[in-house]
Amino acid sequence: MAAVGGHPAQGGGTGKESAPIEFRDAVEALSGARLRPEVQLSPAPAPRRLAPYAFALTASVEVDGEELADGRIVLLHDPAGQEAWHGDFRVVTMTRAELEPEMAADPMLSEVGWAWLLDALQAHGAGYAEAGGTVTRCASQYFGALADRPSSTEIEIRASWTPSDGRFERHLAAWGELLCAGAGLPPVPGSPQNAPDAPSLGGVVPMPARRRPRSH
């Protein structure tokens, strides 16, 4: 398992010590969370216009030196609350993974991608409300000077939800599992997804990922 590192960014350029105790506790919970060893986390600049307080991390899933998925997670906090959130915290994520080209033709790809997220949240006991997002598939074929590049298929899941339980480490762990599902990795033995009473939405399984480094 890997511990989390990162830094909060508050609106107006104020320091961490000026943040509300609720936000500092949330960041501390994220900093103490433990994820699968395949998930590599890095601190990232947090957006300053979405909420007065924000904390951001980027992540990649790496196996045998190859990057199979990547993404970003942001924890937003507005002490006054926001009507659309129905709360004063909001988790915003982006998850991206490269799949085998034939997966682009799967008519259930988008539904499966969204179910990965809901399954992960439920399996980790992360209480949430007002979840919403998009699942986008993109198939690329290269021509001309780029014709030697193999065709690629990518799935991108953008999602946000309101944590309803204060257990922020569970939300980060669930997002880490979403990354791993997109990368085609099965749940690890002993994980919440493998528990006998773990919830499941239609028997969702990880899709096979393209096990090669990303082209940049």
Side-chain angles (χ1 to χ4, degrees):
M1 297 295 181
V4 176
H7 62 279
Q10 289 79 36
T14 57
K16 179 179 178 181
E17 65 279 356
S18 66
I21 184 63
E22 294 84 1
F23 178 73
R24 284 182 283 159
D25 287 346
V27 170
E28 183 177 354
L30 293 178
S31 299
R34 305 189 68 82
L35 276 67
R36 292 176 57 162
E38 297 94 342
V39 181
Q40 306 297 316
L41 290 146
S42 301
R48 295 179 178 270
R49 296 183 179 180
L50 300 179
Y53 303 93
F55 177 81
L57 293 166
T58 59
S60 63
V61 176
E62 299 179 9
V63 177
D64 298 329
E66 298 181 358
E67 182 179 308
L68 305 181
D70 61 23
R72 185 171 189 246
I73 184 168
V74 179
L75 178 67
L76 304 174
H77 178 52
D78 187 339
Q82 294 194 17
E83 183 177 356
W85 298 358
H86 292 274
D88 54 6
F89 280 96
R90 188 75 173 172
V91 175
V92 180
T93 66
M94 186 278 288
T95 305
R96 182 175 55 191
E98 189 174 351
L99 306 173
E100 294 292 348
E102 59 267 23
M103 299 308 300
D106 190 326
M108 294 297 294
L109 177 61
S110 297
E111 287 80 2
V112 168
W114 186 249
W116 283 338
L117 171 63
L118 300 185
D119 268 351
L121 289 168
Q122 292 180 37
H124 282 271
Y128 67 93
E130 302 301 323
T134 62
V135 180
T136 305
R137 70 180 83 187
C138 178
S140 300
Q141 187 171 351
Y142 300 92
F143 299 91
L146 302 179
D148 59 337
R149 294 188 182 183
S151 58
S152 62
T153 302
E154 190 174 81
I155 183 172
E156 182 180 276
I157 304 169
R158 292 181 178 269
S160 64
W161 62 90
T162 298
S164 60
D165 55 3
R167 302 297 299 271
F168 298 99
E169 70 281 1
R170 296 184 178 182
H171 295 264
L172 180 59
W175 180 67
E177 287 295 340
L178 172 63
L179 280 166
C180 291
L185 303 183
V188 296
S191 69
Q193 286 86 346
N194 278 335
D197 58 348
S200 177
L201 298 179
V204 173
V205 297
M207 288 186 175
R210 180 188 300 278
R211 291 181 174 272
R212 62 175 176 78
R214 283 186 172 278
S215 297
H216 294 285

